Amino acid sequence: QSVLTQPPSVSGAPGQRVTISCTGSSSNIGTHYHVHWYQQLPGTAPKLLIYGNINRPSGVPDRFSGSKSGSSASLAITGLQAEDEADYYCQSFDTSLTTSIFGGGTKLTVL
Amino acid sequence: QVLLQESGPGLVKPSETLSLTCTVSGASISSYYWSWIRQPPGKGLEWVGYVFYSGSTNYNPSLKSRLTIALDTSENQFSLKLNSVTAADTAVYYCAGLKPSWDIELWGQGTLVTVSS
């Protein structure tokens, strides 16, 4: 059981918008620590998608956006494309565990 | 271009020590917290720990008693040693470069380690 809770799966048709939630607590997302998001395409290593809650690394399309409010965070993907089909993970720091933590991951299916 | 490459045995016997090395090229050894993340087959990511060039470390509390992560600045390598392994330690192990804000900017390709007799 992960400290950060994500839906196991989400789906959407090409061109649609989907969101993936990441729910934590007052000891992780609810602190000043940032939330980061990763995309893991099948058979590959994860790739940093969003850092510092809302920032995109160079090369990540602006179809991907992140937000944080209270003890939760969200990843939004607009204009869904077949190539977006992947697993997505949120990550933060937990002040009680004093270590990094990941969400359980969400599998995005593009219908 | 930054490259992280894991190396080590793909098969380890139960109760023995899992040892992996990550060779870093194209990145300053002092610019990142050098980390290990693992992913059991078909499951999610699990934080293992990091070592910084100052020598400081941070370990997953659930692994801390069995874990050592060390840095060899002369070889631009860092290593993971996990002792007394069981089948539950079977996973793809990724070496990675973590920024001070805890985002993982650099990833190796990963290496599968199977614990089995």
Side-chain angles (χ1 to χ4, degrees):
Chain A
Q1 188 113 5
S2 301
V3 178
L4 302 180
T5 302
Q6 297 180 234
S9 64
V10 297
S11 63
Q16 284 190 333
R17 177 181 187 270
V18 296
T19 61
I20 298 172
S21 60
C22 176
T23 303
S25 69
S26 57
S27 65
N28 42 68
I29 296 179
T31 68
H32 64 282
Y33 284 96
H34 295 311
V35 176
H36 316 293
W37 291 90
Y38 302 87
Q39 177 191 58
Q40 186 176 32
L41 297 170
T44 69
K47 165 191 148 183
L48 182 63
L49 194 66
I50 297 287
Y51 67 96
N53 304 323
I54 61 171
N55 303 293
R56 286 184 308 276
S58 174
V60 173
D62 59 6
R63 302 186 295 105
F64 295 90
S65 62
S67 63
K68 172 183 165 179
S69 178
S71 297
S72 295
S74 288
L75 172 70
I77 310 171
T78 58
L80 263 184
Q81 299 180 4
E83 66 203 50
D84 299 332
E85 193 159 283
D87 293 324
Y88 293 84
Y89 294 90
C90 60
Q91 179 223 358
S92 188
F93 182 87
D94 191 279
T95 56
S96 296
L97 298 172
T98 61
T99 194
S100 179
I101 50 174
F102 287 98
T106 299
K107 182 174 181 61
L108 168 64
T109 300
V110 181
L111 301 170
Chain B
Q1 182 185 353
V2 178
L3 185 63
L4 277 63
Q5 182 65 58
E6 304 91 350
S7 58
L11 181 64
V12 181
K13 289 182 168 54
S15 80
E16 295 191 344
T17 297
L18 184 161
S19 296
L20 293 173
T21 297
C22 181
T23 302
V24 180
S25 57
S28 168
I29 209 73
S30 62
S31 297
Y32 294 88
Y33 293 73
W34 299 107
S35 308
W36 293 95
I37 294 101
R38 70 181 185 178
Q39 184 171 33
K43 296 188 178 181
L45 301 171
E46 180 182 25
W47 171 258
V48 174
Y50 76 62
V51 61
F52 192 48
Y53 86 103
S54 64
S56 66
T57 57
N58 178 283
Y59 294 159
N60 184 322
S62 70
L63 301 173
K64 191 172 184 176
S65 63
R66 302 190 289 131
L67 180 63
T68 303
I69 299 176
L71 185 63
D72 184 343
T73 55
S74 66
E75 297 288 339
N76 260 34
Q77 294 178 332
F78 62 103
S79 62
L80 173 151
K81 291 189 190 300
L82 183 67
N83 57 37
S84 304
V85 296
T86 70
D89 295 310
T90 293
V92 174
Y93 285 76
Y94 295 100
C95 64
L98 180 81
K99 298 296 286 184
S101 49
W102 289 89
D103 50 308
I104 305 165
E105 189 173 271
L106 308 174
W107 291 82
Q109 65 182 22
T111 188
L112 175 63
V113 179
T114 302
V115 178
S116 174
S117 55

